[in-house]
DNA sequence: GTACGGATTACCT
DNA sequence: GGTAATCCGTACG
C-alpha cells in the first residue's frame, strides 16, 4: 500500500480501503482480512472524532503520519482499529468496521468462538480486531513498514458496489455520510442509530 | 478526586 | 429486538 494513497482526507481514503487487506502475523499464526466496511473520522472538524477536542495521550497516534494503526478500547471490553490518514499533524483516520477472513480462518474462529459463522468472524469493529488478534499493543504500529500488522492492496473493488451511508453508533454528527461498505456483502455490519443521536447538520 | 458516557457485543426473551 | 456487561479517558470541581 502506497503511503500517498493514505495521506489524504479520511473521507477520500475510506472508500478506497474497501478491498484492501490487513494481515497480522502472530506467534500462533497468520490471519488476513479483506476490508468490507469503513468509516471516516475527520479530526478536529468532526464532532464524533476522538481528536475533536485536541490531542490527548489516547489519540496521539492519530496526529502522526498516515499508515499507522490507531487502536482504542470501547466500552471497556472491545478493541477498535483505525488506519491513520492525512498529513502528519492532521488527526484524521478511518475506522475499520468489518471484513472477510481470507487467510487463517481456523485461528480467527479460535479467537472468536467455534460457533461463529464465517461471515460474522470479522463483522463489527470489535469483532474485526478480535478475529485479527489486534489489541492495545498494536497501537501506533506502522502498517507500511514491516510491523506484525500490515496493510496491502487486494483485488480492486468495482465502484458500482460501493455504498455510502451515515455512521454507526455515534451520538454526534451521526448523519454524516462517512460510512462506506460493499453492497449486499454478508460480512458488513448492520446499521444502528445511536440511542443518544440528536438531529444535527453536516456533510 | 469524582462523575459520566461511550466509534460494542452477546445473550435473553 | 431489547438490554446488561464493563473500565477508562475526558471533563469538571
Amino acid at each position: 500500500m502506497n503511503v500517498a494513497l493514505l495521506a489524504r482526507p479520511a473521507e477520500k481514503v475510506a472508500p478506497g480501503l474497501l478491498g484492501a487487506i490487513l494481515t497480522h502475523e502472530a506467534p500462533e499464526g497468520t490471519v488476513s482480512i479483506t476490508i468490507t466496511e469503513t468509516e471516516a473520522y475527520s479530526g478536529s472538524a468532526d464532532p464524533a472524532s476522538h481528536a475533536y477536542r485536541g490531542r490527548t495521550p489516547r489519540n496521539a497516534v492519530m496526529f502522526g503520519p498516515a499508515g499507522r494503526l490507531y487502536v482504542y478500547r470501547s466500552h471497556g471490553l472491545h478493541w477498535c482499529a483505525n488506519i491513520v490518514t492525512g498529513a502528519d499533524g492532521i488527526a484524521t483516520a478511518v475506522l475499520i468496521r468489518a471484513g472477510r477472513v481470507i487467510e487463517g480462518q481456523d485461528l480467527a474462529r479460535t479467537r472468536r468462538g467455534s460457533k461463529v459463522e464465517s461471515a460474522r468472524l470479522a463483522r463489527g469493529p470489535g469483532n474485526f480486531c478480535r478475529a485479527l488478534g489486534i489489541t492495545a499493543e498494536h497501537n501506533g504500529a506502522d502498517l507500511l513498514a514491516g510491523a506484525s500488522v500490515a496493510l496491502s492492496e487486494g483485488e480492486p473493488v468495482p465502484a458500482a458496489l460501493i455504498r455510502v451511508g451515515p455512521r454507526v453508533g455515534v451520538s454526534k454528527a451521526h448523519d454524516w455520510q462517512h460510512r462506506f461498505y460493499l453492497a449486499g456483502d454478508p460480512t458488513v455490519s448492520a446499521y444502528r442509530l445511536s440511542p443518544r443521536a440528536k438531529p444535527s447538520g453536516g456533510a
Side-chain angles (χ1 to χ4, degrees):
Chain A
M1 177 68 70
N2 188 335
V3 68
L5 295 175
L6 300 177
R8 298 179 293 146
E11 63 272 22
K12 305 287 190 197
V13 177
L17 286 176
L18 297 176
I21 299 167
L22 270 175
T23 300
H24 179 207
E25 296 181 11
E28 64 270 26
T30 298
V31 171
S32 295
I33 304 181
T34 295
I35 298 168
T36 58
E37 180 184 0
T38 61
E39 270 178 12
Y41 286 85
S42 305
S44 58
D46 183 352
S49 171
H50 290 168
Y52 184 55
R53 297 177 196 287
R55 183 176 185 140
T56 67
R58 178 175 63 146
N59 66 27
V61 173
M62 269 200 287
F63 286 80
R68 301 285 180 80
L69 196 65
Y70 166 52
V71 181
Y72 69 92
R73 199 205 293 278
S74 177
H75 289 71
L77 298 172
H78 317 288
W79 298 110
C80 297
N82 298 247
I83 294 172
V84 176
T85 70
D88 193 359
I90 305 297
T92 56
V94 175
L95 171 69
I96 308 304
R97 284 198 56 86
R100 174 182 16 261
V101 179
I102 58 172
E103 179 186 3
Q105 191 163 117
D106 289 345
L107 176 55
R109 183 167 276 105
T110 298
R111 287 169 174 157
R112 291 278 291 113
S114 58
K115 296 173 184 170
V116 180
E117 67 176 292
S118 298
R120 302 181 83 122
L121 285 173
R123 185 175 184 254
N127 291 331
F128 186 99
C129 284
R130 231 174 117 188
L132 196 55
I134 296 298
T135 66
E137 72 177 275
H138 303 288
N139 188 40
D142 189 340
L143 300 172
L144 311 176
S148 64
V149 188
L151 177 67
S152 57
E153 297 179 36
E155 297 292 317
V157 171
L161 289 183
I162 298 178
R163 294 290 180 273
V164 184
R167 294 182 291 192
V168 176
V170 296
S171 60
K172 299 166 188 168
H174 63 88
D175 50 351
W176 287 26
Q177 304 290 301
H178 274 20
R179 173 173 176 247
F180 303 88
Y181 57 97
L182 296 182
D185 194 302
T187 66
V188 173
S189 70
Y191 175 72
R192 193 179 72 268
L193 179 66
S194 167
R196 296 173 192 281
K198 304 169 208 157
S200 69

